[in-house]
Amino acid sequence: MKFFVDTADIAEIRSLAETGLIDGVTTNPSLVAKSGRDFFDVLKDICDAVSGPVSAEVAATDAEGMIREGDKLAKVSKNIAVKLPMTWEGLKACRHFADKGIMTNVTLCFSAAQAILAAKAGATFVSPFIGRIDDTGADGMQLIRDICAIYRQYPDFTTLVLAASIRSPLHITEAGKAGAHVATIPPAVLKSLVNHPLTDKGLSIFLADWQKTGQKIA
Ligand code: G3P
């Protein structure tokens, strides 16, 4: 299972990249706005910090405009994945980039039927939004299960399921059980994954007992 970090905060990305556990980054217009920085400056910094895919979202709503913007975004680095909305125009642009060998991430996926369209458009990634579905009172994880089950039936579908809008560690473990290839995770949730009270308690006991031995390892 690959881990992407879902942020445009370069300090967070650099610090998480040091763990060696980050396989890529996803951004969206809201995250770029939150960073308060120039989009292209942010993208350059992120692409310098991580070698895996970096999703950069277009703002145009017509395929021609998306292609123009996507071409410009893709020039930033080889690891840019052009992020496109789940619309007919976005799917047309997706096919264009797939044919050119440029990575794509079809975002704002809220149904299995949409995920089938993304696969047929040759998307590198499809982003089903778990948390936002949960927010409506429905089960976001069921969508991940359904998409993974459908994709498994068709070996010619090469699109990777990128579980997005993740809010908790449980979202990550459940997405993993369903077979999601990637989870894109907000920094705070990613950092919380290591926490367990029994780990802290066990470590304190080991350290106290080790001290009693009076020994040194190095
Ligand atoms: O980047 C797309 C997605 O992960 C957004 O998450 O928390 O804004 O629903 P959220």
Side-chain angles (χ1 to χ4, degrees), residues 6 26-28 31 83 107 129 131-132 164-167 184 186:
D6 197 25
T26 52
T27 66
N28 63 38
L31 294 170
K83 203 171 179 187
T107 190
F129 278 30
R132 292 195 197 182
S165 188
I166 279 182
R167 306 275 167 80
T184 188

Side-chain angles (χ1 to χ4, degrees), residues 23-214:
D23 303 297
V25 173
T26 52
T27 66
N28 63 38
S30 308
L31 294 170
V32 174
K34 197 171 158 197
S35 79
R37 298 185 58 206
D38 174 80
F39 189 20
F40 283 88
D41 289 348
V42 173
L43 287 179
K44 278 180 208 125
D45 284 350
I46 298 174
C47 291
D48 285 346
V50 298
S51 54
V54 174
S55 289
E57 190 158 342
V58 298
T61 53
D62 62 305
E64 207 179 298
M66 290 180 197
I67 289 167
R68 206 168 35 246
E69 291 181 357
D71 276 334
K72 197 170 165 194
L73 292 167
K75 282 201 181 84
V76 171
S77 168
K78 277 203 311 276
N79 50 331
I80 290 285
V82 178
K83 203 171 179 187
L84 301 155
M86 175 62 78
T87 59
W88 287 118
E89 295 300 298
L91 292 167
K92 276 194 256 173
C94 180
R95 172 47 63 198
H96 166 90
F97 288 117
D99 291 346
K100 277 179 80 178
I102 291 173
M103 286 189 290
T104 53
N105 176 357
V106 176
T107 190
L108 294 166
C109 173
F110 292 95
S111 78
Q114 289 179 325
I116 293 173
L117 288 176
K120 291 187 67 66
T124 313
F125 304 101
V126 66
S127 291
F129 278 30
I130 302 169
R132 292 195 197 182
I133 295 177
D134 288 353
D135 291 344
T136 69
D139 181 3
M141 198 55 66
Q142 191 53 46
L143 176 59
I144 302 290
R145 290 186 202 104
D146 289 346
I147 297 170
C148 290
I150 292 167
Y151 280 12
R152 271 196 293 271
Q153 307 296 319
Y154 299 97
D156 57 318
F157 282 1
T158 55
T159 302
L160 302 174
V161 178
L162 197 172
S165 188
I166 279 182
R167 306 275 167 80
S168 70
L170 192 60
H171 276 162
I172 297 158
T173 51
E174 289 297 313
K177 278 159 69 181
H181 305 90
V182 191
T184 188
I185 312 170
V189 177
L190 215 156
K191 288 180 202 163
S192 77
L193 290 182
V194 78
N195 298 339
H196 198 289
L198 290 180
T199 304
D200 298 341
K201 190 177 167 196
L203 185 59
S204 302
I205 294 168
F206 285 155
L207 291 177
D209 287 343
W210 180 249
Q211 219 167 13
K212 286 181 211 155
T213 72

